Amino acid sequence: MIEVKDLQFSYNKNEFIKEINFKVEKGMIFGFLGPSGAGKSTLQKILTGLITNYKGHAIVNGVECKHHTNIFYENIGVDFEFPTLYEKLTARENLKFFASLYTHQTRSIDQLLESVGLQNDADKKVSDYSKGMKSRLNFIKALINDPDILFLDEPTSGLDPTNSRMMKDLILLEKTRVK
Ligand SMILES: Nc1ncnc2c1ncn2[C@@H]1O[C@H](COP(=O)(O)OP(=O)(O)OP(=O)(O)O)[C@@H](O)[C@H]1O
Ligand SMILES: [Mg+2]
C-alpha cells in the first residue's frame, strides 16, 4: 500500500531525509522511530501529499504522492501531530463537517464517539475539551472516512497511561477491520 524508493528531502541545503527505502503491506502497523527533528512528521507530510518537492518515489495506494489529485484523500486518514479541530464547534459538529468533505459513505459518528468514550461530551465545544479528549477526537476524525490507510503522528503523545492504552487498543482494532 505504501512504497518509498530512494526518497530524499530537505527544507534547505541540509538533507535530513536521505535515500529512504521501505514498503508497507496491507494490514501492517508500521512505525517510524527517531529523535526529535529526525524527520518523522516531514515524512508523513510527504506521504499525505502536503510536501511535493521531494526526490525519489513515495507511492501511496498506487499514486505518486507529488502527483495526487483530490481522490487521493478519499482513502487515507490523517491524525496530525497537533489537533486540527474547530474549537468553536462541538465534537459532533466537527465530525459532521469533516464527514461532509467525502463523496462516499462515512462511518457512524455516534459509534466513533463511543469507541473513545466521548459519547457524553459530543455536544460540548472543543474549546472546553481537555488535551486527552482533543487527542481522542482528533483520532476518530481521521477514521471518519473509513480510510484504507491511517497515518498517525505520535497518537499517544501527552496522553496518560489509561488513554495511551485505549489509543493502542483502538489502533489494533482498526487493524482487524482491514477489508
Ligand atoms: N516548515 C519547515 N520549514 C523548515 N524546516 C522545517 C519545517 N518543518 C520542519 N523543519 C525541520 O525539519 C527537520 C525535521 O522536522 P520534523 O518535524 O519532521 O521532525 P520530527 O522527527 O517529527 O520531530 P518531533 O519528534 O520533534 O516531532 C527539523 O530539523 C525541523 O526543524
Ligand atoms: Mg514530529
Side-chain angles (χ1 to χ4, degrees):
M1 301 211 87
I2 301 178
E3 188 169 6
V4 166
K5 278 190 280 187
D6 303 329
L7 187 68
Q8 296 178 51
F9 178 76
S10 66
Y11 284 107
N12 44 41
K13 282 184 183 152
N14 300 327
E15 207 162 60
F16 58 92
I17 292 183
K18 294 179 199 162
E19 300 283 331
I20 292 186
N21 292 278
F22 65 90
K23 267 189 193 177
V24 185
E25 309 288 348
K26 198 172 192 167
M28 266 173 84
I29 295 177
F30 189 96
F32 301 120
L33 298 179
S36 179
K40 305 176 297 291
S41 298
T42 303
L43 187 51
Q44 176 165 303
K45 284 179 190 156
I46 293 173
L47 295 176
T48 54
L50 301 180
I51 290 176
T52 52
N53 57 335
Y54 59 83
K55 290 185 204 148
H57 298 283
I59 300 162
V60 171
N61 255 339
V63 176
E64 180 70 58
C65 294
K66 67 169 82 167
H67 301 310
H68 74 273
T69 59
N70 285 347
I71 297 166
F72 181 75
Y73 292 106
E74 291 280 328
N75 291 315
I76 65 169
V78 189
D79 184 355
F80 292 96
E81 194 167 17
F82 305 105
T84 47
L85 299 157
Y86 289 102
E87 297 263 328
K88 288 184 182 169
L89 299 183
T90 66
R92 190 188 302 283
E93 285 166 346
N94 265 281
L95 294 171
K96 268 192 189 164
F97 169 72
F98 287 106
S100 75
L101 302 176
Y102 297 97
T103 59
H104 65 275
Q105 179 74 38
T106 48
R107 279 168 76 169
S108 155
I109 288 176
D110 284 317
Q111 275 177 16
L112 285 174
L113 285 162
E114 203 176 336
S115 72
V116 291
L118 290 176
Q119 65 277 17
N120 297 328
D121 299 295
D123 300 310
K124 205 185 243 184
K125 277 189 184 169
V126 170
S127 55
D128 296 338
Y129 265 35
S130 70
K131 188 171 63 181
M133 288 164 83
K134 282 184 191 173
S135 292
R136 285 181 276 152
L137 179 58
N138 209 44
F139 175 72
I140 56 172
K141 176 180 148 253
L143 296 179
I144 194 79
N145 58 323
D146 204 11
D148 291 338
I149 306 180
L150 188 55
F151 292 93
L152 308 170
D153 195 342
E154 302 197 32
T156 59
S157 164
L159 296 185
D160 63 27
T162 309
N163 278 320
S164 179
R165 182 71 263 161
M166 176 201 266
M167 194 63 83
K168 287 177 196 162
D169 288 342
L170 284 166
I171 294 167
L172 287 172
L173 190 65
E174 283 308 305
K175 184 176 149 95
T176 65
R177 292 185 75 253
V178 169
K179 293 154 260 176

